[in-house]
């Protein structure tokens, strides 16, 4: 997590408003000011390096900071290093029970303890193991232990998390595995259904199902504001899989779709914020504020070009930025409200209630059918 995001999150927890556009130094200063008179215990998990921790340290000696990192945090004064082990056996078994259920754990407690040992009590590895068991109700804990020990080229002495990740990842369906790899490209490591839809070139509903499946299997977790994130300890393993299994052209295309979506979001936000009649607002005629809302209403039945409620084709921003009529060969289909990469398709002002339409791009258009735009 970047320092700016961490500082902004801590300020939100303290009830301090952070100014928009503030950089890391300014946010760090605001955080130190907010903690100047407070007695606080600050937990920084999965710290990348000493520089990241130092930027968040308060100047108040009554504050205690606990920073968890994968290596020593050299360069910070008054640090008391200690080694943090995994969960104790009882806590680790309870964590497995949340996924696998108590029956399989109770009938074979020795296998459960062996699984905890193979995972070294690491919560991330245990979550992946529990997700593997949850997806296979007929498999026993002993089956999972046997598979982990028998992984080719993975001796039991290797990193427990890498070994468990490999087993769980290779059991994923192709679409889910690809979605997990592409999440390593998400900005700031955060993604929602719209972001994954842009990266993978799939529908928003499909992206949402993929994200929920990854959460159930322990590969991702829910974050604030309806977003998802891959745990930081899994990101390097996910990025390695992306580099090994996806062609450079596919990765570049995913980045391009993500960039196009981001640019169009910024254009829409600017158009909504500008007063009527200004150049930015005129560039996106009729674009409603609900365009970026996930809860926008479904378009009413029969609302489309040529319908009684839409007597003339809506205008939409062309790739060149000019407002042109609806191109021939494009057709609407009511697949529900969503926000996808590609040109937004705001309804004509005379056609009220037509938000949330998606458009099928004809063959040979700027965007292929694998990434149809939606508004």
């Amino acid at each position: 997590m970047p320092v700016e995001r961490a500082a902004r999150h801590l300020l939100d927890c303290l009830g301090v408003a952070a100014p928009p556009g503030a950089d890391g130094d300014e946010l760090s200063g605001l955080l130190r000011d907010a903690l100047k008179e407070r007695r606080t215990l600050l937990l920084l998990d999965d710290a990348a390096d000493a520089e990241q921790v130092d930027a968040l340290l308060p100047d108040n000696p009554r504050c205690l900071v606990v920073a968890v990192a994968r290596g020593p945090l050299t360069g910070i004064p008054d640090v008391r290093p200690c080694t943090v082990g995994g969960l104790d056996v009882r806590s680790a078994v309870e964590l497995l029970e949340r996924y696998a259920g108590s029956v399989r754990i109770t009938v074979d407690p020795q296998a459960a303890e062996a699984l905890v040992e193979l995972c070294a009590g690491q919560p991330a590895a245990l979550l992946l193991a529990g997700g593997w068991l949850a997806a296979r109700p007929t498999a026993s804990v002993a089956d999972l232990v046997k598979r982990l020990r028998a992984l080719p080229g993975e001796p039991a002495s290797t990193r427990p998390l890498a070994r468990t990740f490999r087993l769980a990842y290779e059991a994923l369906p192709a679409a889910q595995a690809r979605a997990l790899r592409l999440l390593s490209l998400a900005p700031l490591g955060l993604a929602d259904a719209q972001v994954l839809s842009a990266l993978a070139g799939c529908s928003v509903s499909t992206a949402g199902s993929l994200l929920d499946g990854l959460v159930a299997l322990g590969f991702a977790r829910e974050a604030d504001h309806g977003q998802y994130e891959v745990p930081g300890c899994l990101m390097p393993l996910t990025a390695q899989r992306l580099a090994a299994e996806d062609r450079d052209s596919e990765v570049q295309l995913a980045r391009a779709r993500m960039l196009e979506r981001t640019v169009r979001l910024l254009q829409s936000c600017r158009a909504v914020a500008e007063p009527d009649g200004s150049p930015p607002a005129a560039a996106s005629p009729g674009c409603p504020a609900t365009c970026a809302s996930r809860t926008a209403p479904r378009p009413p039945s029969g609302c489309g070009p040529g319908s009684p409620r839409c007597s003339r084709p809506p205008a939409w921003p062309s790739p060149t930025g000019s407002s042109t009529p609806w191109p021939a060969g494009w057709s609407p289909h009511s697949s529900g409200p969503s926000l996808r990469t590609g040109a937004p398709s705001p309804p004509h002002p005379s056609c009220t209630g037509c938000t949330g339409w998606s458009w099928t791009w004809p063959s040979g258009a700027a965007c292929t059918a694998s990434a149809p735009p939606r508004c």
Side-chain angles (χ1 to χ4, degrees):
M1 178 185 296
V3 172
E4 293 85 351
R5 180 184 162 199
R8 193 176 293 274
H9 175 72
L10 290 172
L11 288 171
D12 289 341
C13 294
L14 295 171
V16 178
D23 59 13
D25 293 338
E26 184 177 356
L27 293 172
S28 297
L30 289 174
L31 180 62
R32 289 190 176 94
D33 292 340
L35 295 175
K36 187 177 298 183
E37 304 296 332
R38 297 173 183 257
R39 186 178 182 183
T40 308
L41 171 61
L42 192 61
L43 174 61
L44 305 177
D45 189 21
D46 199 16
D49 50 36
E51 182 179 358
Q52 186 183 47
V53 174
D54 186 60
L56 300 173
L57 290 179
D59 294 330
N60 184 358
R62 302 193 327 175
C63 293
L64 175 64
V65 178
V66 178
V68 182
R70 300 176 195 175
L73 298 175
T74 57
I76 301 179
D78 299 328
V79 171
R80 300 178 183 179
C82 63
T83 301
V84 180
L87 298 176
D88 60 86
V89 175
R90 180 178 178 180
S91 300
V93 170
E94 290 177 354
L95 182 59
L96 286 173
E97 286 182 354
R98 288 167 47 187
Y99 282 81
S102 60
V103 175
R104 284 185 281 185
I105 302 298
T106 303
V107 297
D108 198 350
Q110 291 184 345
E113 293 180 5
L115 180 57
V116 170
E117 183 179 354
L118 285 172
C119 294
Q122 297 181 9
L126 290 168
L127 287 177
L128 294 176
W132 189 93
L133 288 169
R136 294 160 183 81
T138 59
S140 66
V141 180
D143 292 335
L144 177 55
V145 171
K146 188 181 299 183
R147 287 174 177 266
L148 285 172
R149 288 173 173 168
L151 278 178
E154 294 283 354
S157 59
T158 56
R159 289 174 52 201
L161 180 58
R163 184 173 60 247
T164 311
F165 177 86
R166 175 179 175 180
L167 176 69
Y169 172 82
E170 292 178 353
L172 289 175
Q176 215 162 28
R178 178 172 178 265
L180 177 61
R181 297 194 303 270
L182 291 174
L183 285 178
S184 63
L185 303 177
L188 299 178
L190 290 171
D192 55 13
Q194 285 81 7
V195 170
L196 180 57
S197 171
L199 288 170
C202 63
S203 67
V204 175
S205 59
T206 299
S209 299
L210 291 171
L211 286 170
D212 291 337
L214 291 173
V215 171
L217 295 173
F219 286 100
R221 60 194 177 199
E222 296 184 8
D224 296 332
H225 310 299
Q227 294 182 309
Y228 300 78
E229 62 181 349
V230 177
C233 57
L234 298 184
M235 287 296 284
L237 300 172
T238 304
Q240 290 174 9
R241 289 284 180 170
L242 179 72
E245 300 181 23
D246 292 85
R247 295 193 297 268
D248 291 342
S249 58
E250 295 174 342
V251 176
Q252 291 176 1
L253 180 59
R255 292 182 185 274
R257 287 193 297 259
M258 185 70 253
L259 178 61
E260 183 182 14
R261 176 184 182 273
T262 303
V263 170
R264 293 193 181 279
L265 275 176
L266 292 173
Q267 291 174 341
S268 298
C269 292
R270 183 185 179 191
V272 170
E274 291 287 341
D276 294 338
S278 62
S284 300
C287 187
T290 57
C291 184
S293 173
R294 298 182 61 189
T295 58
R298 276 182 92 86
S301 172
C303 184
S307 69
R309 300 186 64 183
C310 291
S311 57
R312 54 196 178 99
W316 63 284
S318 70
T320 60
S322 60
S323 180
T324 62
W326 187 346
W330 291 37
S331 59
H333 56 90
S334 60
S335 59
S338 58
L339 185 61
R340 290 277 314 276
T341 183
S345 50
H348 193 273
S350 65
C351 179
T352 59
C354 288
T355 60
W357 281 95
S358 60
W359 314 99
T360 302
W361 293 63
S363 176
C367 286
T368 63
S370 63
R374 292 184 177 182
C375 180

